[in-house]
Amino acid sequence: MAGRDADEASEDAGGQQSMLASQRAKEQGETQGRFSKWFPLSAKSGFEQWWAGLSPMATEHRVLSFIPHLQSPPTHTQTGSASVAAGSSSADLDAPPKHAEDETTTTAFNDPYGPRRWHSQMVELCGKDRALNEFSVERVGEEAENNLVMLHGYGAGLGFFYRNFEAISRAEGWKVFALDLLGMGRSSRPTFKIHAKDKEGKIAEAESWFVDALEEWRIKRGLDQFTLLGHSLGGYLAVCYALKYPGHLNKLILASPVGIPEDPYAVNEEMPDVQDSSMANEFSQDAAETNQNGVQPSTADNNNFMNQQKRTEGAKEAKQPPKRRLPWWLYSLWEANMISPFTLVRWTGPLGPRLVSGWTSRRFSHLPEEEAQALHDYSYALFRQRGSSEYALAYLLAPGAFARSPLIRRIHGVGRQWIQAHDTPTVDGDSPSQTSAATAQRESGFPVIFMYGENDWMDVKGGQAAEERMKQERERILATASPEQGEKDRGVGKVIIIDKAGHHVYLDGWEQFNRVMLAEMEEVRGREQGRRGR
């Protein structure tokens, strides 16, 4: 298996051993101090990993090798920016192969759901240093009448969906695409710079950085209609895409999206409490601790930032002191756009892998050790790449991961925009612009699915509030619509809970997630066939 070959190659290259098991240090007789408790990778192993410098190409290939029935995943050789590794690793010669193929076809003999064509490609966009890393799968011999596009979360990559590709691609008549966002994953990493001077302009420019690239990719791929899935920051950006480029989506699926609820501190560019941060929970929640026998685990989102009202009420009752703010220097660095979570990984050199292990050891603790190790290597290989669109975070979210322009203010416009040129991801009024008033058509609405994990720190109340906001807008629109317009309207929201899952619902509760995705894709297929008169 490719994954096993990659593992052996990495050990041969730098003497690196698997280090993510929680009992590793105890087995080696090491003393567990506070630092090693939170960052379990030993200093020696961290240095070896930093020195070996496994590339994003090799680590992505190894993660994708865990896809069932795909014995040799395709992996193109181009990465958006050169690795900052201390030296090249011989592991890259073996995983993936030195001359990696960018296309693999599984047959009915080695794939019970085949034949399927798996493809890996860098899609060049216009402008300097702009390209998107793409992974796709389609069923051979069938017409792909529908398309699914998958967007990962902040700082991640398309490889994180490795437990979803095989099941989702069983759907008849579908082609599945997964993309690395511009400036993240293996996509190109152009210099990120905002030119706007006002707050609203900065937010819109940062959002457009991502969605403009997605729209250009759509045009190059010749997709007219597609279903868009976005996780976390990818969900936030998926909403922005729907608002700025209307007329191309037939369903929007938001998996634990960031940025829905409104927080007065974030909107006013002040500082929310660091304890309200979903980002803090991302680094502290242990994915292995799930809901068992109806007892909620200790990590089950007690710091959920949507629970502010409950905590505020509790604080009043207990007469607790006011919230503490983040240190002024951290706030200043954030607002000056001089720091990101990955800056520290690059700055600390050989200590970087150990810092990353603080997240990966908890985030992937529920997975088989070989898969957890592969995801750790993949994460570190991506985190250490040249900084690019990661710096957009400060323009989109205030410290504490609250949106500066909350989606709850804009979600009602999704699927109800005028199909015309838009400068920014803002909500249209009831009338089109004067320049296109004579020919403009308005979207008739499409379903928006909100998925949350049972133990998610993104509170389901955000999705429920968005669902209600969409319902109110639909009722308002249909109050003056014709019966024919009412029959065409599909602009409804739906909230789904993934059992025993945290923020990464597609990975923590992958089996249920895949079933939900297939059901939602089948609904699109049936609706589109009806629209086409078949």
Side-chain angles (χ1 to χ4, degrees), residues 185-203:
R186 291 182 63 205
S187 291
S188 64
R189 295 182 175 241
T191 301
F192 180 83
K193 187 176 182 180
I194 294 295
H195 299 89
K197 301 301 181 182
D198 61 299
K199 174 191 169 185
E200 289 73 18
K202 291 178 180 179
I203 296 171

Side-chain angles (χ1 to χ4, degrees), residues 17-91:
Q17 301 295 321
S18 186
M19 76 294 286
L20 293 182
S22 60
Q23 71 275 20
R24 178 79 51 202
K26 293 182 180 179
E27 292 175 354
Q28 295 175 349
E30 296 180 3
T31 302
Q32 287 287 322
R34 178 175 297 181
F35 187 86
S36 58
K37 177 182 177 181
W38 283 96
F39 305 100
L41 183 63
S42 69
K44 179 176 181 294
S45 296
F47 178 84
E48 289 172 347
Q49 182 174 11
W50 171 77
W51 185 258
L54 290 176
S55 70
M57 175 185 68
T59 54
E60 178 190 271
H61 180 87
R62 184 185 175 196
V63 169
L64 296 179
S65 71
F66 292 107
I67 297 176
H69 318 304
L70 186 61
Q71 287 70 33
S72 179
T75 311
H76 71 80
T77 57
Q78 184 180 358
T79 296
S81 66
S83 172
V84 295
S88 61
S89 172
S90 62

Side-chain angles (χ1 to χ4, degrees), residues 167-197:
I168 292 175
S169 64
R170 297 177 190 176
E172 295 183 4
W174 282 82
K175 184 171 183 178
V176 178
F177 297 91
L179 301 175
D180 282 342
L181 295 170
L182 183 64
M184 296 184 187
R186 291 182 63 205
S187 291
S188 64
R189 295 182 175 241
T191 301
F192 180 83
K193 187 176 182 180
I194 294 295
H195 299 89
K197 301 301 181 182

Side-chain angles (χ1 to χ4, degrees), residues 143-155:
E143 181 181 358
E145 297 179 328
N146 297 287
N147 299 278
L148 171 68
V149 178
M150 307 170 71
L151 301 179
H152 59 78
Y154 179 70

Side-chain angles (χ1 to χ4, degrees), residues 294-500:
V295 178
Q296 200 162 21
S298 60
T299 56
D301 204 14
N302 293 322
N303 292 325
N304 189 314
F305 65 73
M306 277 294 290
N307 284 333
Q308 286 186 2
Q309 182 177 0
K310 294 180 181 179
R311 288 200 306 278
T312 302
E313 293 172 353
K316 290 179 180 178
E317 294 177 2
K319 295 183 179 180
Q320 295 178 355
K323 294 179 180 180
R324 292 185 303 169
R325 301 290 179 231
L326 291 176
W328 67 268
W329 58 268
L330 183 56
Y331 174 81
S332 299
L333 287 175
W334 181 287
E335 293 293 349
N337 200 28
M338 295 176 61
I339 192 170
S340 81
F342 313 118
T343 305
L344 297 177
V345 174
R346 292 188 289 268
W347 281 355
T348 53
L351 190 60
R354 197 172 188 187
L355 294 179
V356 174
S357 75
W359 177 67
T360 57
S361 63
R362 292 167 177 79
R363 179 61 266 160
F364 308 128
S365 58
H366 62 302
L367 298 174
E369 186 172 341
E370 187 178 10
E371 295 181 32
Q373 180 64 51
L375 286 171
H376 167 82
D377 295 342
Y378 179 52
S379 299
Y380 175 62
L382 297 183
F383 293 173
R384 72 185 308 198
Q385 298 305 299
R386 185 178 67 204
S388 178
S389 62
E390 66 190 61
Y391 297 113
L393 196 67
Y395 294 100
L396 303 179
L397 307 177
F402 293 95
R404 299 190 187 275
S405 179
L407 296 183
I408 193 65
R409 294 182 175 183
R410 298 185 278 171
I411 195 67
H412 63 285
V414 170
R416 303 197 179 281
Q417 299 284 81
W418 291 95
I419 303 176
Q420 59 187 23
H422 289 71
D423 295 328
T424 60
T426 54
V427 178
D428 289 342
D430 288 336
S431 300
S433 64
Q434 295 181 353
T435 56
S436 58
T439 59
Q441 293 183 332
R442 195 174 192 179
E443 294 177 297
S444 57
F446 52 77
V448 179
I449 311 302
F450 302 87
M451 273 196 275
Y452 292 86
E454 183 180 11
N455 300 321
D456 206 325
W457 50 83
M458 297 292 183
D459 198 320
V460 66
K461 288 186 178 67
Q464 292 168 342
E467 178 187 13
E468 179 61 25
R469 185 69 183 89
M470 291 182 62
K471 178 182 177 181
Q472 294 172 358
E473 182 68 4
R474 185 171 190 263
E475 291 174 349
R476 188 186 73 84
I477 294 292
L478 295 185
T480 57
S482 66
E484 182 181 3
Q485 289 173 324
E487 182 66 24
K488 292 181 179 180
D489 194 288
R490 296 291 186 273
V492 296
K494 180 171 64 174
V495 176
I496 297 175
I497 304 298
I498 303 299
D499 298 335
K500 299 181 179 181

